Amino acid sequence: MSGDVTSLSTQIAGWLRENAPLTFEKLNPPADEPALAELASALNTELPADLSELLRNFDGSDARDVTGVILLPPGYQVMGSSEIASDTRQRASIWGDAWQPTWIAFGNDLCGGCLVLDTGPQPPYGRIFQFDEIDGPFGFAWGSLTDLLTEMLALVEGRAVRLAHRIPYDYPRAPDPLKPVVQNGELEWEVG
C-alpha cells in the first residue's frame, strides 16, 4: 500500500528524534529520482515500490562513524542507494547460485550479515529475511518491508506486535522477542 512506508518512516523518525537523537541524526536525506534510477539500473530490475518509498524518506544512514547507525531490528543499518547496489552485486559474486538474482541486500549488520528483500515474481514476493555470510538465510523474517517497519514502530513505542517469524518457515519455535534499548541517545536491539 502506497504511503504506508512513508507514514511508518515518519513516525519512526519522530520517535527517534525524541528518544534516540544520535540515531536520528545519522539518517541521510532522501534519495532523489536519479539515485533511485541509478540503483534500479545497477541491479537491472525495477525497484520494489516499498524500497523506493523508504529511500525517498531517507537514503540509508551515515556509517562513517558507526555509533548510532543501527536502526532496523534486530541490529541493521539501512544502506543508502549506492551501497545497496554495490553490496548486492558483491554478495551475488561471492555466493554464486546460493544468492538469488531476485534478492536485494538493503540492511547491513556491519559484521557481514544483511537484511534481504526478496523481489521474486511469486510468493513470498516482498519478504524480508536475515542473511548471514556463513550460514545464508537464518533467523527472523517478515512478510514485507511494511511488516518490518510496523513491528519496529510497535516495539519502540512499547506496544505488542508479532509479525516476525523464523526461517525456515517450519522452525519449531517462535522467534525470540526483540527489545529496543536506548543508550546515550543511540538505538540498539536486544534479542531474547
Side-chain angles (χ1 to χ4, degrees):
M1 293 183 189
S2 182
D4 287 350
V5 171
T6 294
S7 174
L8 291 164
S9 297
T10 300
Q11 292 175 73
I12 289 167
W15 185 90
L16 291 170
R17 185 182 304 112
E18 293 293 318
N19 299 283
L22 183 58
T23 301
F24 174 77
E25 291 170 7
K26 294 290 185 158
L27 298 177
N28 289 330
D32 57 19
E33 293 309 311
L36 294 175
E38 186 175 321
L39 174 58
S41 176
L43 295 174
N44 196 28
T45 189
E46 183 177 331
L47 291 181
D50 54 357
L51 180 59
S52 294
E53 192 175 343
L54 179 66
L55 295 171
R56 282 185 184 105
N57 284 279
F58 56 90
D59 192 10
S61 53
D62 182 355
R64 287 176 288 186
D65 168 15
V66 297
T67 305
V69 301
I70 300 304
L71 175 63
L72 297 174
Y76 291 89
Q77 169 218 6
V78 179
M79 293 187 279
S81 53
S82 62
E83 293 171 288
I84 290 171
S86 62
D87 191 87
T88 299
R89 285 192 312 259
Q90 180 181 17
R91 289 177 192 279
S93 70
I94 291 170
W95 280 86
D97 291 342
W99 184 269
Q100 300 299 312
T102 58
W103 292 354
I104 299 174
F106 74 98
N108 183 344
D109 72 0
L110 308 177
C111 295
C114 66
L115 279 179
V116 175
L117 171 59
D118 185 353
T119 66
Q122 50 196 319
Y125 177 85
R127 163 183 80 132
I128 304 291
F129 61 91
Q130 292 178 270
F131 188 90
D132 180 73
E133 67 177 327
I134 307 251
D135 299 322
F138 79 105
F140 291 99
W142 293 265
S144 68
L145 184 55
T146 301
D147 284 352
L148 170 62
L149 296 175
T150 298
E151 183 167 47
M152 178 185 173
L153 181 61
L155 289 169
V156 298
E157 291 181 340
R159 295 182 286 116
V161 66
R162 294 295 294 218
L163 298 174
H165 54 271
R166 286 268 185 189
I167 291 179
Y169 294 104
D170 61 354
Y171 197 83
R173 65 183 175 94
D176 294 326
L178 294 171
K179 178 182 175 187
V181 176
V182 176
Q183 295 181 350
N184 302 318
E186 179 179 358
L187 176 64
E188 298 174 359
W189 293 93
E190 290 181 359
V191 177

